[in-house]
Amino acid sequence: MIDPSPVPATPASARKRSPQKRRLATEMEIVAAFGRLLARDGVHGVGVNALVKEANAGKKQVYEYFGGLQGVAEAWVRRSSFWPRGAVLINEPVPQFMKRPVLERLRILVRAYAQGLRDHPDVATLMAGEFAGPPELRSAVEETRVRIWEEYERLFFADARALDPDILALNVVLLPAVTYIGLRARFDPTFFGSDLRDDAAWGRVLDMIDRVIALAAAGAEATGKPIDSTVD
């Protein structure tokens, strides 16, 4: 008896596509497979053999279309909306944010950066590859870091007061600290007895950032050289 149900798409139907469309579809699948491997297996699970298996593609295609694993990783960074920008990152309109005192902008951005790493584990995984991943991922890590920094720089260093030496010192201390906390939330969430996967515990850690900034401001004021925290 003939089954009257619709016949699913077959490879023959796919062959009707032009060579350009077939290549584009394969490229997209290879890049998507890279993202799946990164999320599931981490940087150590991302290799050419694993990639072609995940994407159901040929190794020749990886090298012909991307030049190798490094090109695939760079394409994933370019094609992924992996990091919030502007008003989404700071959760308010940019013009309103820019009117805030510089220390308040620092507080909001540092917290947003930490939150971004926690909310986007793929980014945290890739950034960890700078130290532990295969060499082919290094350029993608650098491109990721540049894209994140460009957004931070655009939102924070828009006026001269952000270049105050005390403000720069706080940046140098706080950014590595919250990078570490954000990566811990992804790889080893137990931190000083708190589980960083727990929203309440995570909130308490972020509140400590506020306290550090407040103490720095109070200390500077006590010396008679308060940090300039106003924006014209």
Side-chain angles (χ1 to χ4, degrees), residues 30-31 33-35 37-38 43-52 59 61-76 126 133-140:
I30 290 173
V31 173
F34 176 88
L37 286 173
L38 188 67
V43 291
H44 294 294
V46 179
V48 173
N49 291 333
L51 184 60
V52 297
K59 188 177 293 187
Q61 292 170 309
V62 171
Y63 286 96
E64 181 180 344
Y65 297 167
F66 299 97
L69 182 61
Q70 177 175 323
V72 176
E74 292 170 354
W76 181 82
L126 186 59
E136 294 90 344
L137 298 187
R138 301 291 168 79
S139 62

mmCIF file of all heavy atoms in Angstrom, residues 30-31 33-35 37-38 43-52 59 61-76 126 133-140:
data_model
loop_
_atom_site.group_PDB
_atom_site.id
_atom_site.type_symbol
_atom_site.label_atom_id
_atom_site.label_comp_id
_atom_site.label_asym_id
_atom_site.label_seq_id
_atom_site.Cartn_x
_atom_site.Cartn_y
_atom_site.Cartn_z
ATOM 1 N N ILE A 30 28.969 24.620 9.035
ATOM 2 C CA ILE A 30 30.278 24.435 9.665
ATOM 3 C C ILE A 30 30.460 25.424 10.813
ATOM 4 O O ILE A 30 30.923 25.059 11.900
ATOM 5 C CB ILE A 30 31.402 24.582 8.625
ATOM 6 C CG1 ILE A 30 31.389 23.395 7.651
ATOM 7 C CG2 ILE A 30 32.765 24.685 9.303
ATOM 8 C CD1 ILE A 30 32.348 23.538 6.491
ATOM 9 N N VAL A 31 30.092 26.685 10.575
ATOM 10 C CA VAL A 31 30.206 27.697 11.628
ATOM 11 C C VAL A 31 29.280 27.367 12.786
ATOM 12 O O VAL A 31 29.653 27.481 13.961
ATOM 13 C CB VAL A 31 29.902 29.095 11.054
ATOM 14 C CG1 VAL A 31 29.843 30.135 12.173
ATOM 15 C CG2 VAL A 31 30.966 29.493 10.034
ATOM 16 N N ALA A 33 28.234 24.425 13.622
ATOM 17 C CA ALA A 33 28.787 23.256 14.298
ATOM 18 C C ALA A 33 29.909 23.652 15.246
ATOM 19 O O ALA A 33 30.049 23.078 16.333
ATOM 20 C CB ALA A 33 29.292 22.248 13.260
ATOM 21 N N PHE A 34 30.710 24.622 14.840
ATOM 22 C CA PHE A 34 31.766 25.125 15.726
ATOM 23 C C PHE A 34 31.151 25.648 17.023
ATOM 24 O O PHE A 34 31.646 25.350 18.122
ATOM 25 C CB PHE A 34 32.549 26.234 15.036
ATOM 26 C CG PHE A 34 33.598 26.873 15.904
ATOM 27 C CD1 PHE A 34 34.878 26.349 15.970
ATOM 28 C CD2 PHE A 34 33.303 27.992 16.667
ATOM 29 C CE1 PHE A 34 35.843 26.926 16.780
ATOM 30 C CE2 PHE A 34 34.254 28.578 17.485
ATOM 31 C CZ PHE A 34 35.531 28.040 17.541
ATOM 32 N N GLY A 35 30.080 26.427 16.910
ATOM 33 C CA GLY A 35 29.424 26.952 18.105
ATOM 34 C C GLY A 35 28.864 25.859 18.983
ATOM 35 O O GLY A 35 28.961 25.935 20.218
ATOM 36 N N LEU A 37 29.969 22.737 19.211
ATOM 37 C CA LEU A 37 31.095 22.055 19.860
ATOM 38 C C LEU A 37 31.653 22.885 21.010
ATOM 39 O O LEU A 37 31.975 22.353 22.077
ATOM 40 C CB LEU A 37 32.200 21.784 18.836
ATOM 41 C CG LEU A 37 31.958 20.658 17.832
ATOM 42 C CD1 LEU A 37 33.069 20.648 16.789
ATOM 43 C CD2 LEU A 37 31.888 19.303 18.531
ATOM 44 N N LEU A 38 31.777 24.180 20.780
ATOM 45 C CA LEU A 38 32.315 25.061 21.813
ATOM 46 C C LEU A 38 31.434 25.028 23.056
ATOM 47 O O LEU A 38 31.935 24.952 24.188
ATOM 48 C CB LEU A 38 32.414 26.487 21.263
ATOM 49 C CG LEU A 38 33.135 27.515 22.123
ATOM 50 C CD1 LEU A 38 34.615 27.191 22.230
ATOM 51 C CD2 LEU A 38 32.958 28.917 21.525
ATOM 52 N N VAL A 43 36.814 24.342 24.611
ATOM 53 C CA VAL A 43 37.848 24.597 23.603
ATOM 54 C C VAL A 43 38.640 23.341 23.251
ATOM 55 O O VAL A 43 39.130 23.202 22.127
ATOM 56 C CB VAL A 43 38.813 25.706 24.078
ATOM 57 C CG1 VAL A 43 38.102 27.043 24.117
ATOM 58 C CG2 VAL A 43 39.419 25.376 25.440
ATOM 59 N N HIS A 44 38.763 22.413 24.189
ATOM 60 C CA HIS A 44 39.530 21.205 23.904
ATOM 61 C C HIS A 44 38.762 20.245 23.010
ATOM 62 O O HIS A 44 39.358 19.328 22.440
ATOM 63 C CB HIS A 44 39.936 20.512 25.203
ATOM 64 C CG HIS A 44 40.905 21.303 26.028
ATOM 65 N ND1 HIS A 44 42.185 21.565 25.615
ATOM 66 C CD2 HIS A 44 40.763 21.907 27.237
ATOM 67 C CE1 HIS A 44 42.809 22.285 26.539
ATOM 68 N NE2 HIS A 44 41.966 22.514 27.522
ATOM 69 N N GLY A 45 37.459 20.448 22.896
ATOM 70 C CA GLY A 45 36.658 19.578 22.048
ATOM 71 C C GLY A 45 36.502 20.095 20.636
ATOM 72 O O GLY A 45 35.840 19.456 19.811
ATOM 73 N N VAL A 46 37.092 21.254 20.362
ATOM 74 C CA VAL A 46 36.974 21.856 19.036
ATOM 75 C C VAL A 46 38.219 21.523 18.222
ATOM 76 O O VAL A 46 39.296 22.051 18.467
ATOM 77 C CB VAL A 46 36.804 23.392 19.133
ATOM 78 C CG1 VAL A 46 36.718 23.994 17.738
ATOM 79 C CG2 VAL A 46 35.564 23.741 19.932
ATOM 80 N N GLY A 47 38.057 20.645 17.278
ATOM 81 C CA GLY A 47 39.147 20.280 16.368
ATOM 82 C C GLY A 47 38.564 20.015 14.994
ATOM 83 O O GLY A 47 37.344 19.898 14.839
ATOM 84 N N VAL A 48 39.405 19.911 13.996
ATOM 85 C CA VAL A 48 38.912 19.734 12.630
ATOM 86 C C VAL A 48 38.134 18.433 12.501
ATOM 87 O O VAL A 48 37.049 18.398 11.889
ATOM 88 C CB VAL A 48 40.076 19.773 11.621
ATOM 89 C CG1 VAL A 48 39.581 19.414 10.215
ATOM 90 C CG2 VAL A 48 40.720 21.155 11.605
ATOM 91 N N ASN A 49 38.643 17.348 13.069
ATOM 92 C CA ASN A 49 37.955 16.063 12.947
ATOM 93 C C ASN A 49 36.578 16.105 13.611
ATOM 94 O O ASN A 49 35.587 15.624 13.049
ATOM 95 C CB ASN A 49 38.799 14.945 13.551
ATOM 96 C CG ASN A 49 40.043 14.653 12.729
ATOM 97 O OD1 ASN A 49 40.071 14.883 11.522
ATOM 98 N ND2 ASN A 49 41.084 14.158 13.378
ATOM 99 N N ALA A 50 36.531 16.670 14.817
ATOM 100 C CA ALA A 50 35.240 16.786 15.508
ATOM 101 C C ALA A 50 34.309 17.714 14.741
ATOM 102 O O ALA A 50 33.092 17.488 14.677
ATOM 103 C CB ALA A 50 35.464 17.302 16.926
ATOM 104 N N LEU A 51 34.868 18.743 14.140
ATOM 105 C CA LEU A 51 34.059 19.729 13.426
ATOM 106 C C LEU A 51 33.398 19.123 12.192
ATOM 107 O O LEU A 51 32.204 19.330 11.958
ATOM 108 C CB LEU A 51 34.936 20.915 13.038
ATOM 109 C CG LEU A 51 34.243 22.102 12.360
ATOM 110 C CD1 LEU A 51 33.174 22.697 13.266
ATOM 111 C CD2 LEU A 51 35.278 23.161 11.979
ATOM 112 N N VAL A 52 34.167 18.383 11.386
ATOM 113 C CA VAL A 52 33.585 17.819 10.168
ATOM 114 C C VAL A 52 32.534 16.765 10.516
ATOM 115 O O VAL A 52 31.542 16.602 9.790
ATOM 116 C CB VAL A 52 34.674 17.242 9.240
ATOM 117 C CG1 VAL A 52 35.611 18.347 8.779
ATOM 118 C CG2 VAL A 52 35.456 16.123 9.922
ATOM 119 N N LYS A 59 36.460 17.419 5.346
ATOM 120 C CA LYS A 59 37.620 18.163 5.832
ATOM 121 C C LYS A 59 38.122 19.132 4.756
ATOM 122 O O LYS A 59 38.565 20.241 5.051
ATOM 123 C CB LYS A 59 38.723 17.195 6.250
ATOM 124 C CG LYS A 59 39.895 17.860 6.940
ATOM 125 C CD LYS A 59 40.925 16.835 7.402
ATOM 126 C CE LYS A 59 40.383 15.952 8.494
ATOM 127 N NZ LYS A 59 41.457 15.065 9.058
ATOM 128 N N GLN A 61 36.378 20.786 2.722
ATOM 129 C CA GLN A 61 35.555 21.997 2.722
ATOM 130 C C GLN A 61 35.989 22.967 3.812
ATOM 131 O O GLN A 61 35.971 24.177 3.618
ATOM 132 C CB GLN A 61 34.088 21.625 2.890
ATOM 133 C CG GLN A 61 33.510 20.894 1.687
ATOM 134 C CD GLN A 61 32.148 20.322 1.970
ATOM 135 O OE1 GLN A 61 31.935 19.619 2.966
ATOM 136 N NE2 GLN A 61 31.194 20.621 1.098
ATOM 137 N N VAL A 62 36.390 22.443 4.965
ATOM 138 C CA VAL A 62 36.844 23.309 6.056
ATOM 139 C C VAL A 62 38.063 24.115 5.609
ATOM 140 O O VAL A 62 38.157 25.320 5.861
ATOM 141 C CB VAL A 62 37.179 22.471 7.312
ATOM 142 C CG1 VAL A 62 37.860 23.339 8.373
ATOM 143 C CG2 VAL A 62 35.925 21.834 7.873
ATOM 144 N N TYR A 63 38.988 23.450 4.923
ATOM 145 C CA TYR A 63 40.204 24.138 4.500
ATOM 146 C C TYR A 63 39.968 25.001 3.256
ATOM 147 O O TYR A 63 40.551 26.084 3.129
ATOM 148 C CB TYR A 63 41.309 23.112 4.245
ATOM 149 C CG TYR A 63 41.863 22.540 5.522
ATOM 150 C CD1 TYR A 63 41.392 21.328 6.024
ATOM 151 C CD2 TYR A 63 42.832 23.226 6.257
ATOM 152 C CE1 TYR A 63 41.880 20.802 7.212
ATOM 153 C CE2 TYR A 63 43.323 22.709 7.440
ATOM 154 C CZ TYR A 63 42.846 21.505 7.913
ATOM 155 O OH TYR A 63 43.339 21.005 9.101
ATOM 156 N N GLU A 64 39.110 24.534 2.362
ATOM 157 C CA GLU A 64 38.854 25.299 1.144
ATOM 158 C C GLU A 64 38.045 26.558 1.437
ATOM 159 O O GLU A 64 38.318 27.629 0.894
ATOM 160 C CB GLU A 64 38.106 24.437 0.129
ATOM 161 C CG GLU A 64 37.810 25.159 -1.188
ATOM 162 C CD GLU A 64 37.060 24.286 -2.169
ATOM 163 O OE1 GLU A 64 37.021 23.047 -1.969
ATOM 164 O OE2 GLU A 64 36.498 24.826 -3.138
ATOM 165 N N TYR A 65 37.056 26.463 2.320
ATOM 166 C CA TYR A 65 36.173 27.587 2.591
ATOM 167 C C TYR A 65 36.726 28.536 3.650
ATOM 168 O O TYR A 65 36.471 29.743 3.608
ATOM 169 C CB TYR A 65 34.802 27.091 3.051
ATOM 170 C CG TYR A 65 34.041 26.266 2.036
ATOM 171 C CD1 TYR A 65 32.925 25.530 2.415
ATOM 172 C CD2 TYR A 65 34.441 26.202 0.699
ATOM 173 C CE1 TYR A 65 32.216 24.774 1.491
ATOM 174 C CE2 TYR A 65 33.735 25.436 -0.220
ATOM 175 C CZ TYR A 65 32.630 24.726 0.179
ATOM 176 O OH TYR A 65 31.925 23.962 -0.731
ATOM 177 N N PHE A 66 37.472 27.987 4.614
ATOM 178 C CA PHE A 66 37.902 28.800 5.756
ATOM 179 C C PHE A 66 39.416 28.822 5.962
ATOM 180 O O PHE A 66 39.896 29.602 6.790
ATOM 181 C CB PHE A 66 37.236 28.289 7.041
ATOM 182 C CG PHE A 66 35.739 28.362 7.033
ATOM 183 C CD1 PHE A 66 34.986 27.249 6.697
ATOM 184 C CD2 PHE A 66 35.080 29.541 7.349
ATOM 185 C CE1 PHE A 66 33.600 27.304 6.689
ATOM 186 C CE2 PHE A 66 33.703 29.598 7.344
ATOM 187 C CZ PHE A 66 32.953 28.482 7.006
ATOM 188 N N GLY A 67 40.148 27.972 5.290
ATOM 189 C CA GLY A 67 41.585 27.907 5.499
ATOM 190 C C GLY A 67 41.993 27.086 6.698
ATOM 191 O O GLY A 67 43.170 27.030 7.046
ATOM 192 N N GLY A 68 41.010 26.479 7.381
ATOM 193 C CA GLY A 68 41.307 25.662 8.545
ATOM 194 C C GLY A 68 40.478 26.072 9.743
ATOM 195 O O GLY A 68 39.568 26.905 9.664
ATOM 196 N N LEU A 69 40.807 25.490 10.891
ATOM 197 C CA LEU A 69 40.055 25.726 12.123
ATOM 198 C C LEU A 69 40.097 27.192 12.532
ATOM 199 O O LEU A 69 39.098 27.750 13.014
ATOM 200 C CB LEU A 69 40.610 24.847 13.245
ATOM 201 C CG LEU A 69 39.901 24.941 14.595
ATOM 202 C CD1 LEU A 69 38.441 24.530 14.483
ATOM 203 C CD2 LEU A 69 40.621 24.061 15.618
ATOM 204 N N GLN A 70 41.241 27.834 12.365
ATOM 205 C CA GLN A 70 41.353 29.242 12.741
ATOM 206 C C GLN A 70 40.343 30.092 11.982
ATOM 207 O O GLN A 70 39.683 30.961 12.565
ATOM 208 C CB GLN A 70 42.770 29.749 12.458
ATOM 209 C CG GLN A 70 42.960 31.233 12.751
ATOM 210 C CD GLN A 70 44.397 31.673 12.566
ATOM 211 O OE1 GLN A 70 45.326 30.940 12.870
ATOM 212 N NE2 GLN A 70 44.590 32.874 12.053
ATOM 213 N N GLY A 71 40.189 29.854 10.703
ATOM 214 C CA GLY A 71 39.229 30.619 9.913
ATOM 215 C C GLY A 71 37.796 30.372 10.336
ATOM 216 O O GLY A 71 36.966 31.292 10.325
ATOM 217 N N VAL A 72 37.490 29.133 10.704
ATOM 218 C CA VAL A 72 36.139 28.822 11.186
ATOM 219 C C VAL A 72 35.855 29.578 12.485
ATOM 220 O O VAL A 72 34.779 30.161 12.661
ATOM 221 C CB VAL A 72 35.971 27.302 11.407
ATOM 222 C CG1 VAL A 72 34.587 27.002 11.993
ATOM 223 C CG2 VAL A 72 36.154 26.551 10.104
ATOM 224 N N ALA A 73 36.829 29.560 13.403
ATOM 225 C CA ALA A 73 36.652 30.264 14.680
ATOM 226 C C ALA A 73 36.452 31.757 14.458
ATOM 227 O O ALA A 73 35.583 32.392 15.087
ATOM 228 C CB ALA A 73 37.865 30.019 15.578
ATOM 229 N N GLU A 74 37.234 32.340 13.557
ATOM 230 C CA GLU A 74 37.090 33.771 13.270
ATOM 231 C C GLU A 74 35.740 34.068 12.633
ATOM 232 O O GLU A 74 35.115 35.098 12.930
ATOM 233 C CB GLU A 74 38.229 34.221 12.360
ATOM 234 C CG GLU A 74 39.592 34.189 13.041
ATOM 235 C CD GLU A 74 40.738 34.397 12.062
ATOM 236 O OE1 GLU A 74 40.468 34.451 10.842
ATOM 237 O OE2 GLU A 74 41.887 34.496 12.513
ATOM 238 N N ALA A 75 35.265 33.170 11.768
ATOM 239 C CA ALA A 75 33.952 33.355 11.142
ATOM 240 C C ALA A 75 32.848 33.283 12.191
ATOM 241 O O ALA A 75 31.869 34.032 12.125
ATOM 242 C CB ALA A 75 33.727 32.302 10.057
ATOM 243 N N TRP A 76 32.992 32.390 13.165
ATOM 244 C CA TRP A 76 31.996 32.287 14.232
ATOM 245 C C TRP A 76 31.911 33.587 15.017
ATOM 246 O O TRP A 76 30.820 34.061 15.342
ATOM 247 C CB TRP A 76 32.338 31.127 15.163
ATOM 248 C CG TRP A 76 31.345 30.939 16.264
ATOM 249 C CD1 TRP A 76 30.153 30.276 16.195
ATOM 250 C CD2 TRP A 76 31.442 31.446 17.600
ATOM 251 N NE1 TRP A 76 29.492 30.338 17.407
ATOM 252 C CE2 TRP A 76 30.274 31.055 18.278
ATOM 253 C CE3 TRP A 76 32.403 32.199 18.276
ATOM 254 C CZ2 TRP A 76 30.048 31.381 19.614
ATOM 255 C CZ3 TRP A 76 32.178 32.526 19.609
ATOM 256 C CH2 TRP A 76 31.017 32.117 20.267
ATOM 257 N N LEU A 126 35.353 30.614 25.000
ATOM 258 C CA LEU A 126 36.333 31.004 23.982
ATOM 259 C C LEU A 126 37.463 31.823 24.596
ATOM 260 O O LEU A 126 38.637 31.620 24.268
ATOM 261 C CB LEU A 126 35.649 31.800 22.875
ATOM 262 C CG LEU A 126 36.521 32.159 21.666
ATOM 263 C CD1 LEU A 126 37.059 30.900 21.013
ATOM 264 C CD2 LEU A 126 35.729 32.976 20.661
ATOM 265 N N GLY A 133 43.450 26.676 25.218
ATOM 266 C CA GLY A 133 42.921 26.105 23.992
ATOM 267 C C GLY A 133 43.973 25.903 22.917
ATOM 268 O O GLY A 133 45.137 26.272 23.082
ATOM 269 N N PRO A 134 43.569 25.314 21.797
ATOM 270 C CA PRO A 134 44.508 25.105 20.683
ATOM 271 C C PRO A 134 44.953 26.432 20.088
ATOM 272 O O PRO A 134 44.209 27.419 20.111
ATOM 273 C CB PRO A 134 43.674 24.288 19.678
ATOM 274 C CG PRO A 134 42.255 24.559 20.029
ATOM 275 C CD PRO A 134 42.231 24.781 21.503
ATOM 276 N N PRO A 135 46.170 26.489 19.538
ATOM 277 C CA PRO A 135 46.678 27.750 18.982
ATOM 278 C C PRO A 135 45.785 28.341 17.896
ATOM 279 O O PRO A 135 45.757 29.557 17.718
ATOM 280 C CB PRO A 135 48.045 27.339 18.415
ATOM 281 C CG PRO A 135 48.429 26.110 19.159
ATOM 282 C CD PRO A 135 47.155 25.397 19.461
ATOM 283 N N GLU A 136 45.049 27.483 17.183
ATOM 284 C CA GLU A 136 44.196 27.973 16.098
ATOM 285 C C GLU A 136 43.085 28.887 16.584
ATOM 286 O O GLU A 136 42.486 29.617 15.799
ATOM 287 C CB GLU A 136 43.572 26.789 15.343
ATOM 288 C CG GLU A 136 44.573 25.933 14.597
ATOM 289 C CD GLU A 136 45.113 24.811 15.456
ATOM 290 O OE1 GLU A 136 44.942 24.873 16.692
ATOM 291 O OE2 GLU A 136 45.710 23.876 14.897
ATOM 292 N N LEU A 137 42.801 28.863 17.882
ATOM 293 C CA LEU A 137 41.718 29.695 18.417
ATOM 294 C C LEU A 137 42.213 31.056 18.904
ATOM 295 O O LEU A 137 41.394 31.918 19.238
ATOM 296 C CB LEU A 137 41.019 28.973 19.575
ATOM 297 C CG LEU A 137 40.327 27.655 19.261
ATOM 298 C CD1 LEU A 137 39.549 27.170 20.477
ATOM 299 C CD2 LEU A 137 39.397 27.787 18.063
ATOM 300 N N ARG A 138 43.516 31.266 18.950
ATOM 301 C CA ARG A 138 44.047 32.482 19.566
ATOM 302 C C ARG A 138 43.562 33.753 18.862
ATOM 303 O O ARG A 138 43.238 34.749 19.507
ATOM 304 C CB ARG A 138 45.576 32.441 19.582
ATOM 305 C CG ARG A 138 46.136 31.250 20.339
ATOM 306 C CD ARG A 138 45.897 31.342 21.840
ATOM 307 N NE ARG A 138 46.179 30.089 22.523
ATOM 308 C CZ ARG A 138 47.387 29.654 22.842
ATOM 309 N NH1 ARG A 138 48.447 30.380 22.518
ATOM 310 N NH2 ARG A 138 47.547 28.509 23.471
ATOM 311 N N SER A 139 43.546 33.750 17.527
ATOM 312 C CA SER A 139 43.130 34.959 16.816
ATOM 313 C C SER A 139 41.652 35.245 17.054
ATOM 314 O O SER A 139 41.236 36.407 17.136
ATOM 315 C CB SER A 139 43.410 34.828 15.319
ATOM 316 O OG SER A 139 42.683 33.757 14.752
ATOM 317 N N ALA A 140 40.832 34.196 17.178
ATOM 318 C CA ALA A 140 39.412 34.393 17.468
ATOM 319 C C ALA A 140 39.220 34.951 18.871
ATOM 320 O O ALA A 140 38.348 35.795 19.106
ATOM 321 C CB ALA A 140 38.654 33.076 17.316
#
